[in-house]
Amino acid sequence: MTKHTSHEIDIVKSETSKIDAVDFENLTFGRIFTDHMFICDFENNAWQTPKITPYQPMTMDPSARVFHYGQAVFEGMKAYKDADGKIWMFRPEDNYNRINKSAARLAMPEFPREYFFEGITKLLQMDSEWIKTGKGNSLYLRPFIIATDPAISASPSENYRFMIICSPAKAYYTSKIKVLVAEKFSRSANGGVGFAKAAGNYAAQFYPTSLAQKRGFQQIIWTDADTHEKLEEAGTMNVFFRINDTLITAPISDRILDGVTRRSIIQLAQDNGIEVDVRPITVTELKKAAKAGSLKEIFGAGTAAVISAISAFEHLEELYELPNIENSYADTLKDKMLNIQHNLAEDKHGWRYGV
Ligand SMILES: *Cc1c(COP(=O)(O)O)cnc(C)c1O
């Protein structure tokens, strides 16, 4: 192994690459990882010198707090390669700010900006072969922080590990999905951690989602915990509703995650003359619009799928099917997003970040 230091990062390069064994045409999301990973430990009240090492399992004390109390936060972001081979990211500053916002809520220390951006840049340069050109192809980056203290006392850890792992991805969730509107279960509550990318938020969704899946629905539209009336998110995505020609999405709150895709879709819609209404929207209003024929689209928005169109929803055992429309906002806005992300369109808001 060749070991050298680049700026502030200790680097151990992998001697071989796993890339030749990967079928890039048939990728299952999040199963395959690149040759390297980024690690930075928080010890003695300070983030230590970061490292990039070959991607590999790691050992950890069984008492590490992450295993017992779920003190863990994460991010999801993507890197793209344009036709000239240049690597781009999309609004990574927003992910950097958000992981620290999530960390603060979980009583974890803030991660330094230089380490975050230098780590990503170096890692992407080392694993650049893993980023394929072509619209829809990307490298998914998963930064995360876990509590590593070997102690099961129920208090915040004093030691942490920040890591970034990378997984090649194709566009997924391509077919339309059917969703169930939550009547009993909740994803988040006022004063809780719904706005944070806390690992446990996902664990808590698995059971209700599996019940929905047994009944033929791919996802759940989460409603507010108090009344189950307000429509808030779709699975692990923010959610948009098109009634007549207006796009409606709920305002950000304690319970709703401030998605980078959501924010970008709102801006792009406005740029293209689509009226956007950021306001609470209820199940009652949605069902009324569906019955009147004014509900034209529902779609989820998030980094992994960009936009995921919804074909039908069920509430109180009644199924509401949406029309199949041409030139949907979902298709139009997804295409505009992908064009900006892949350096195929003008980036008038300065969202692209050249690596
Ligand atoms: C990550 C996430 C989103 C989407 O955020 P993006 O920044 O657009 O990827 C939406 N809702 C929840 C609950 C999330 O965890």
Side-chain angles (χ1 to χ4, degrees), residues 227-255:
T227 65
H228 292 293
E229 253 294 305
K230 292 180 188 143
L231 300 157
E232 307 215 305
E233 296 218 48
T236 59
M237 293 177 285
N238 293 113
V239 65
F240 286 83
F241 305 91
R242 174 182 175 186
I243 295 183
N244 291 316
D245 288 334
T246 302
L247 207 48
I248 305 164
T249 193
I252 293 309
S253 72
D254 269 9
R255 307 184 302 265

PDB file of all heavy atoms in Angstrom, residues 227-255:
ATOM      1  N   THR A 227     -53.557  15.193  14.010  1.00  0.00           N
ATOM      2  CA  THR A 227     -54.879  15.052  13.386  1.00  0.00           C
ATOM      3  C   THR A 227     -54.888  14.082  12.206  1.00  0.00           C
ATOM      4  O   THR A 227     -55.960  13.702  11.745  1.00  0.00           O
ATOM      5  CB  THR A 227     -55.365  16.426  12.874  1.00  0.00           C
ATOM      6  OG1 THR A 227     -54.477  16.857  11.826  1.00  0.00           O
ATOM      7  CG2 THR A 227     -55.355  17.473  13.977  1.00  0.00           C
ATOM      8  N   HIS A 228     -53.732  13.698  11.716  1.00  0.00           N
ATOM      9  CA  HIS A 228     -53.619  12.892  10.485  1.00  0.00           C
ATOM     10  C   HIS A 228     -54.394  13.526   9.334  1.00  0.00           C
ATOM     11  O   HIS A 228     -54.947  12.841   8.483  1.00  0.00           O
ATOM     12  CB  HIS A 228     -54.068  11.440  10.728  1.00  0.00           C
ATOM     13  CG  HIS A 228     -53.138  10.695  11.634  1.00  0.00           C
ATOM     14  ND1 HIS A 228     -51.855  10.380  11.281  1.00  0.00           N
ATOM     15  CD2 HIS A 228     -53.317  10.224  12.897  1.00  0.00           C
ATOM     16  CE1 HIS A 228     -51.281   9.745  12.286  1.00  0.00           C
ATOM     17  NE2 HIS A 228     -52.124   9.642  13.281  1.00  0.00           N
ATOM     18  N   GLU A 229     -54.443  14.814   9.311  1.00  0.00           N
ATOM     19  CA  GLU A 229     -55.157  15.564   8.267  1.00  0.00           C
ATOM     20  C   GLU A 229     -54.170  16.233   7.305  1.00  0.00           C
ATOM     21  O   GLU A 229     -54.398  16.279   6.108  1.00  0.00           O
ATOM     22  CB  GLU A 229     -56.034  16.641   8.915  1.00  0.00           C
ATOM     23  CG  GLU A 229     -57.525  16.341   8.885  1.00  0.00           C
ATOM     24  CD  GLU A 229     -58.106  16.337   7.475  1.00  0.00           C
ATOM     25  OE1 GLU A 229     -57.945  17.348   6.762  1.00  0.00           O
ATOM     26  OE2 GLU A 229     -58.715  15.327   7.078  1.00  0.00           O
ATOM     27  N   LYS A 230     -53.089  16.782   7.843  1.00  0.00           N
ATOM     28  CA  LYS A 230     -52.147  17.525   6.993  1.00  0.00           C
ATOM     29  C   LYS A 230     -51.194  16.570   6.287  1.00  0.00           C
ATOM     30  O   LYS A 230     -50.589  15.701   6.929  1.00  0.00           O
ATOM     31  CB  LYS A 230     -51.339  18.519   7.840  1.00  0.00           C
ATOM     32  CG  LYS A 230     -52.181  19.631   8.389  1.00  0.00           C
ATOM     33  CD  LYS A 230     -51.315  20.580   9.212  1.00  0.00           C
ATOM     34  CE  LYS A 230     -52.180  21.587   9.936  1.00  0.00           C
ATOM     35  NZ  LYS A 230     -51.632  21.893  11.270  1.00  0.00           N
ATOM     36  N   LEU A 231     -51.045  16.768   4.987  1.00  0.00           N
ATOM     37  CA  LEU A 231     -50.178  15.902   4.184  1.00  0.00           C
ATOM     38  C   LEU A 231     -48.760  16.455   4.237  1.00  0.00           C
ATOM     39  O   LEU A 231     -48.538  17.627   3.901  1.00  0.00           O
ATOM     40  CB  LEU A 231     -50.684  15.895   2.737  1.00  0.00           C
ATOM     41  CG  LEU A 231     -52.128  15.389   2.599  1.00  0.00           C
ATOM     42  CD1 LEU A 231     -52.753  15.919   1.324  1.00  0.00           C
ATOM     43  CD2 LEU A 231     -52.138  13.864   2.637  1.00  0.00           C
ATOM     44  N   GLU A 232     -47.802  15.640   4.665  1.00  0.00           N
ATOM     45  CA  GLU A 232     -46.495  16.223   4.957  1.00  0.00           C
ATOM     46  C   GLU A 232     -45.318  15.701   4.135  1.00  0.00           C
ATOM     47  O   GLU A 232     -44.534  16.475   3.618  1.00  0.00           O
ATOM     48  CB  GLU A 232     -46.219  16.081   6.454  1.00  0.00           C
ATOM     49  CG  GLU A 232     -47.402  16.669   7.252  1.00  0.00           C
ATOM     50  CD  GLU A 232     -47.036  17.334   8.525  1.00  0.00           C
ATOM     51  OE1 GLU A 232     -46.380  16.677   9.345  1.00  0.00           O
ATOM     52  OE2 GLU A 232     -47.398  18.516   8.705  1.00  0.00           O
ATOM     53  N   GLU A 233     -45.162  14.390   4.034  1.00  0.00           N
ATOM     54  CA  GLU A 233     -44.057  13.846   3.229  1.00  0.00           C
ATOM     55  C   GLU A 233     -44.529  12.544   2.580  1.00  0.00           C
ATOM     56  O   GLU A 233     -45.513  11.938   3.014  1.00  0.00           O
ATOM     57  CB  GLU A 233     -42.831  13.559   4.104  1.00  0.00           C
ATOM     58  CG  GLU A 233     -42.242  14.815   4.736  1.00  0.00           C
ATOM     59  CD  GLU A 233     -40.720  14.801   4.779  1.00  0.00           C
ATOM     60  OE1 GLU A 233     -40.081  14.499   3.743  1.00  0.00           O
ATOM     61  OE2 GLU A 233     -40.180  15.097   5.858  1.00  0.00           O
ATOM     62  N   ALA A 234     -43.788  12.102   1.558  1.00  0.00           N
ATOM     63  CA  ALA A 234     -44.112  10.825   0.903  1.00  0.00           C
ATOM     64  C   ALA A 234     -42.924   9.894   1.091  1.00  0.00           C
ATOM     65  O   ALA A 234     -41.875  10.088   0.486  1.00  0.00           O
ATOM     66  CB  ALA A 234     -44.386  11.039  -0.578  1.00  0.00           C
ATOM     67  N   GLY A 235     -43.080   8.905   1.957  1.00  0.00           N
ATOM     68  CA  GLY A 235     -41.978   7.994   2.245  1.00  0.00           C
ATOM     69  C   GLY A 235     -40.807   8.790   2.808  1.00  0.00           C
ATOM     70  O   GLY A 235     -40.950   9.487   3.803  1.00  0.00           O
ATOM     71  N   THR A 236     -39.663   8.708   2.139  1.00  0.00           N
ATOM     72  CA  THR A 236     -38.487   9.470   2.579  1.00  0.00           C
ATOM     73  C   THR A 236     -38.265  10.666   1.667  1.00  0.00           C
ATOM     74  O   THR A 236     -37.146  11.124   1.490  1.00  0.00           O
ATOM     75  CB  THR A 236     -37.241   8.574   2.583  1.00  0.00           C
ATOM     76  OG1 THR A 236     -37.064   8.075   1.248  1.00  0.00           O
ATOM     77  CG2 THR A 236     -37.385   7.409   3.529  1.00  0.00           C
ATOM     78  N   MET A 237     -39.348  11.143   1.080  1.00  0.00           N
ATOM     79  CA  MET A 237     -39.255  12.290   0.178  1.00  0.00           C
ATOM     80  C   MET A 237     -40.214  13.392   0.611  1.00  0.00           C
ATOM     81  O   MET A 237     -41.203  13.128   1.283  1.00  0.00           O
ATOM     82  CB  MET A 237     -39.629  11.849  -1.250  1.00  0.00           C
ATOM     83  CG  MET A 237     -38.650  10.877  -1.881  1.00  0.00           C
ATOM     84  SD  MET A 237     -39.209  10.344  -3.520  1.00  0.00           S
ATOM     85  CE  MET A 237     -40.508   9.220  -3.062  1.00  0.00           C
ATOM     86  N   ASN A 238     -39.941  14.604   0.164  1.00  0.00           N
ATOM     87  CA  ASN A 238     -40.928  15.673   0.300  1.00  0.00           C
ATOM     88  C   ASN A 238     -42.013  15.414  -0.746  1.00  0.00           C
ATOM     89  O   ASN A 238     -41.791  14.657  -1.684  1.00  0.00           O
ATOM     90  CB  ASN A 238     -40.261  17.042   0.083  1.00  0.00           C
ATOM     91  CG  ASN A 238     -39.265  17.379   1.181  1.00  0.00           C
ATOM     92  OD1 ASN A 238     -38.073  17.461   0.942  1.00  0.00           O
ATOM     93  ND2 ASN A 238     -39.759  17.579   2.395  1.00  0.00           N
ATOM     94  N   VAL A 239     -43.172  16.040  -0.554  1.00  0.00           N
ATOM     95  CA  VAL A 239     -44.270  15.718  -1.473  1.00  0.00           C
ATOM     96  C   VAL A 239     -44.908  16.985  -2.055  1.00  0.00           C
ATOM     97  O   VAL A 239     -45.037  18.004  -1.371  1.00  0.00           O
ATOM     98  CB  VAL A 239     -45.305  14.783  -0.780  1.00  0.00           C
ATOM     99  CG1 VAL A 239     -46.010  15.468   0.390  1.00  0.00           C
ATOM    100  CG2 VAL A 239     -46.295  14.219  -1.781  1.00  0.00           C
ATOM    101  N   PHE A 240     -45.259  16.894  -3.339  1.00  0.00           N
ATOM    102  CA  PHE A 240     -45.899  18.000  -4.068  1.00  0.00           C
ATOM    103  C   PHE A 240     -47.235  17.534  -4.642  1.00  0.00           C
ATOM    104  O   PHE A 240     -47.364  16.381  -5.075  1.00  0.00           O
ATOM    105  CB  PHE A 240     -45.009  18.449  -5.243  1.00  0.00           C
ATOM    106  CG  PHE A 240     -43.791  19.234  -4.835  1.00  0.00           C
ATOM    107  CD1 PHE A 240     -42.631  18.586  -4.419  1.00  0.00           C
ATOM    108  CD2 PHE A 240     -43.791  20.623  -4.882  1.00  0.00           C
ATOM    109  CE1 PHE A 240     -41.503  19.310  -4.054  1.00  0.00           C
ATOM    110  CE2 PHE A 240     -42.668  21.352  -4.522  1.00  0.00           C
ATOM    111  CZ  PHE A 240     -41.513  20.703  -4.108  1.00  0.00           C
ATOM    112  N   PHE A 241     -48.195  18.443  -4.676  1.00  0.00           N
ATOM    113  CA  PHE A 241     -49.520  18.164  -5.239  1.00  0.00           C
ATOM    114  C   PHE A 241     -49.811  19.222  -6.295  1.00  0.00           C
ATOM    115  O   PHE A 241     -49.579  20.408  -6.047  1.00  0.00           O
ATOM    116  CB  PHE A 241     -50.588  18.249  -4.137  1.00  0.00           C
ATOM    117  CG  PHE A 241     -50.284  17.348  -2.963  1.00  0.00           C
ATOM    118  CD1 PHE A 241     -49.542  17.819  -1.885  1.00  0.00           C
ATOM    119  CD2 PHE A 241     -50.714  16.029  -2.959  1.00  0.00           C
ATOM    120  CE1 PHE A 241     -49.230  16.991  -0.809  1.00  0.00           C
ATOM    121  CE2 PHE A 241     -50.412  15.195  -1.882  1.00  0.00           C
ATOM    122  CZ  PHE A 241     -49.663  15.668  -0.808  1.00  0.00           C
ATOM    123  N   ARG A 242     -50.308  18.779  -7.445  1.00  0.00           N
ATOM    124  CA  ARG A 242     -50.732  19.751  -8.465  1.00  0.00           C
ATOM    125  C   ARG A 242     -52.248  19.741  -8.526  1.00  0.00           C
ATOM    126  O   ARG A 242     -52.860  18.743  -8.904  1.00  0.00           O
ATOM    127  CB  ARG A 242     -50.152  19.377  -9.824  1.00  0.00           C
ATOM    128  CG  ARG A 242     -50.681  20.272 -10.949  1.00  0.00           C
ATOM    129  CD  ARG A 242     -50.106  19.835 -12.277  1.00  0.00           C
ATOM    130  NE  ARG A 242     -50.691  20.585 -13.375  1.00  0.00           N
ATOM    131  CZ  ARG A 242     -50.439  20.318 -14.654  1.00  0.00           C
ATOM    132  NH1 ARG A 242     -49.623  19.323 -14.986  1.00  0.00           N
ATOM    133  NH2 ARG A 242     -50.999  21.034 -15.607  1.00  0.00           N
ATOM    134  N   ILE A 243     -52.838  20.869  -8.110  1.00  0.00           N
ATOM    135  CA  ILE A 243     -54.295  21.021  -8.218  1.00  0.00           C
ATOM    136  C   ILE A 243     -54.527  22.102  -9.274  1.00  0.00           C
ATOM    137  O   ILE A 243     -53.994  23.208  -9.165  1.00  0.00           O
ATOM    138  CB  ILE A 243     -54.927  21.398  -6.863  1.00  0.00           C
ATOM    139  CG1 ILE A 243     -54.722  20.235  -5.865  1.00  0.00           C
ATOM    140  CG2 ILE A 243     -56.416  21.701  -7.030  1.00  0.00           C
ATOM    141  CD1 ILE A 243     -55.343  20.432  -4.501  1.00  0.00           C
ATOM    142  N   ASN A 244     -55.294  21.751 -10.298  1.00  0.00           N
ATOM    143  CA  ASN A 244     -55.375  22.563 -11.510  1.00  0.00           C
ATOM    144  C   ASN A 244     -53.939  22.796 -11.965  1.00  0.00           C
ATOM    145  O   ASN A 244     -53.216  21.819 -12.129  1.00  0.00           O
ATOM    146  CB  ASN A 244     -56.178  23.847 -11.288  1.00  0.00           C
ATOM    147  CG  ASN A 244     -57.653  23.511 -11.066  1.00  0.00           C
ATOM    148  OD1 ASN A 244     -58.207  22.676 -11.780  1.00  0.00           O
ATOM    149  ND2 ASN A 244     -58.275  24.118 -10.069  1.00  0.00           N
ATOM    150  N   ASP A 245     -53.476  24.055 -12.059  1.00  0.00           N
ATOM    151  CA  ASP A 245     -52.093  24.228 -12.509  1.00  0.00           C
ATOM    152  C   ASP A 245     -51.186  24.784 -11.422  1.00  0.00           C
ATOM    153  O   ASP A 245     -50.100  25.275 -11.701  1.00  0.00           O
ATOM    154  CB  ASP A 245     -52.064  25.101 -13.768  1.00  0.00           C
ATOM    155  CG  ASP A 245     -52.611  24.318 -14.962  1.00  0.00           C
ATOM    156  OD1 ASP A 245     -52.528  23.068 -14.937  1.00  0.00           O
ATOM    157  OD2 ASP A 245     -53.140  24.936 -15.887  1.00  0.00           O
ATOM    158  N   THR A 246     -51.639  24.689 -10.179  1.00  0.00           N
ATOM    159  CA  THR A 246     -50.840  25.189  -9.053  1.00  0.00           C
ATOM    160  C   THR A 246     -50.158  24.013  -8.343  1.00  0.00           C
ATOM    161  O   THR A 246     -50.774  22.971  -8.111  1.00  0.00           O
ATOM    162  CB  THR A 246     -51.741  25.952  -8.052  1.00  0.00           C
ATOM    163  OG1 THR A 246     -52.381  27.010  -8.755  1.00  0.00           O
ATOM    164  CG2 THR A 246     -50.931  26.512  -6.899  1.00  0.00           C
ATOM    165  N   LEU A 247     -48.885  24.242  -8.018  1.00  0.00           N
ATOM    166  CA  LEU A 247     -48.119  23.224  -7.306  1.00  0.00           C
ATOM    167  C   LEU A 247     -48.135  23.582  -5.822  1.00  0.00           C
ATOM    168  O   LEU A 247     -47.811  24.712  -5.456  1.00  0.00           O
ATOM    169  CB  LEU A 247     -46.688  23.246  -7.862  1.00  0.00           C
ATOM    170  CG  LEU A 247     -45.836  21.990  -7.807  1.00  0.00           C
ATOM    171  CD1 LEU A 247     -46.563  20.767  -8.315  1.00  0.00           C
ATOM    172  CD2 LEU A 247     -44.555  22.232  -8.602  1.00  0.00           C
ATOM    173  N   ILE A 248     -48.548  22.609  -5.006  1.00  0.00           N
ATOM    174  CA  ILE A 248     -48.673  22.874  -3.568  1.00  0.00           C
ATOM    175  C   ILE A 248     -47.738  21.954  -2.795  1.00  0.00           C
ATOM    176  O   ILE A 248     -47.653  20.752  -3.085  1.00  0.00           O
ATOM    177  CB  ILE A 248     -50.131  22.634  -3.102  1.00  0.00           C
ATOM    178  CG1 ILE A 248     -51.101  23.473  -3.944  1.00  0.00           C
ATOM    179  CG2 ILE A 248     -50.293  22.946  -1.620  1.00  0.00           C
ATOM    180  CD1 ILE A 248     -52.548  23.029  -3.844  1.00  0.00           C
ATOM    181  N   THR A 249     -47.031  22.507  -1.825  1.00  0.00           N
ATOM    182  CA  THR A 249     -46.225  21.675  -0.915  1.00  0.00           C
ATOM    183  C   THR A 249     -46.261  22.305   0.468  1.00  0.00           C
ATOM    184  O   THR A 249     -46.375  23.527   0.615  1.00  0.00           O
ATOM    185  CB  THR A 249     -44.784  21.489  -1.431  1.00  0.00           C
ATOM    186  OG1 THR A 249     -44.159  20.437  -0.670  1.00  0.00           O
ATOM    187  CG2 THR A 249     -43.936  22.755  -1.304  1.00  0.00           C
ATOM    188  N   ALA A 250     -46.203  21.446   1.477  1.00  0.00           N
ATOM    189  CA  ALA A 250     -46.297  21.914   2.859  1.00  0.00           C
ATOM    190  C   ALA A 250     -45.063  22.729   3.245  1.00  0.00           C
ATOM    191  O   ALA A 250     -43.973  22.481   2.743  1.00  0.00           O
ATOM    192  CB  ALA A 250     -46.436  20.714   3.788  1.00  0.00           C
ATOM    193  N   PRO A 251     -45.239  23.713   4.119  1.00  0.00           N
ATOM    194  CA  PRO A 251     -44.084  24.474   4.600  1.00  0.00           C
ATOM    195  C   PRO A 251     -43.186  23.611   5.497  1.00  0.00           C
ATOM    196  O   PRO A 251     -43.666  22.671   6.134  1.00  0.00           O
ATOM    197  CB  PRO A 251     -44.702  25.624   5.390  1.00  0.00           C
ATOM    198  CG  PRO A 251     -46.085  25.193   5.730  1.00  0.00           C
ATOM    199  CD  PRO A 251     -46.509  24.165   4.723  1.00  0.00           C
ATOM    200  N   ILE A 252     -41.910  23.956   5.522  1.00  0.00           N
ATOM    201  CA  ILE A 252     -40.947  23.279   6.393  1.00  0.00           C
ATOM    202  C   ILE A 252     -41.335  23.520   7.850  1.00  0.00           C
ATOM    203  O   ILE A 252     -41.791  24.598   8.204  1.00  0.00           O
ATOM    204  CB  ILE A 252     -39.537  23.875   6.123  1.00  0.00           C
ATOM    205  CG1 ILE A 252     -39.073  23.501   4.721  1.00  0.00           C
ATOM    206  CG2 ILE A 252     -38.540  23.474   7.168  1.00  0.00           C
ATOM    207  CD1 ILE A 252     -39.168  22.041   4.404  1.00  0.00           C
ATOM    208  N   SER A 253     -41.184  22.500   8.675  1.00  0.00           N
ATOM    209  CA  SER A 253     -41.473  22.636  10.109  1.00  0.00           C
ATOM    210  C   SER A 253     -40.586  21.668  10.867  1.00  0.00           C
ATOM    211  O   SER A 253     -39.740  21.008  10.271  1.00  0.00           O
ATOM    212  CB  SER A 253     -42.950  22.300  10.359  1.00  0.00           C
ATOM    213  OG  SER A 253     -43.155  20.903  10.207  1.00  0.00           O
ATOM    214  N   ASP A 254     -40.823  21.560  12.162  1.00  0.00           N
ATOM    215  CA  ASP A 254     -40.174  20.543  13.003  1.00  0.00           C
ATOM    216  C   ASP A 254     -40.344  19.138  12.447  1.00  0.00           C
ATOM    217  O   ASP A 254     -39.562  18.256  12.703  1.00  0.00           O
ATOM    218  CB  ASP A 254     -40.930  20.476  14.343  1.00  0.00           C
ATOM    219  CG  ASP A 254     -40.365  21.401  15.364  1.00  0.00           C
ATOM    220  OD1 ASP A 254     -39.500  22.208  14.993  1.00  0.00           O
ATOM    221  OD2 ASP A 254     -40.810  21.314  16.520  1.00  0.00           O
ATOM    222  N   ARG A 255     -41.488  18.947  11.744  1.00  0.00           N
ATOM    223  CA  ARG A 255     -41.871  17.606  11.327  1.00  0.00           C
ATOM    224  C   ARG A 255     -41.471  17.278   9.903  1.00  0.00           C
ATOM    225  O   ARG A 255     -41.584  16.136   9.477  1.00  0.00           O
ATOM    226  CB  ARG A 255     -43.400  17.441  11.425  1.00  0.00           C
ATOM    227  CG  ARG A 255     -43.996  17.795  12.770  1.00  0.00           C
ATOM    228  CD  ARG A 255     -45.486  17.497  12.777  1.00  0.00           C
ATOM    229  NE  ARG A 255     -46.220  18.211  11.740  1.00  0.00           N
ATOM    230  CZ  ARG A 255     -46.832  19.368  11.922  1.00  0.00           C
ATOM    231  NH1 ARG A 255     -46.803  19.955  13.101  1.00  0.00           N
ATOM    232  NH2 ARG A 255     -47.482  19.946  10.937  1.00  0.00           N
TER     233      ARG A 255
END
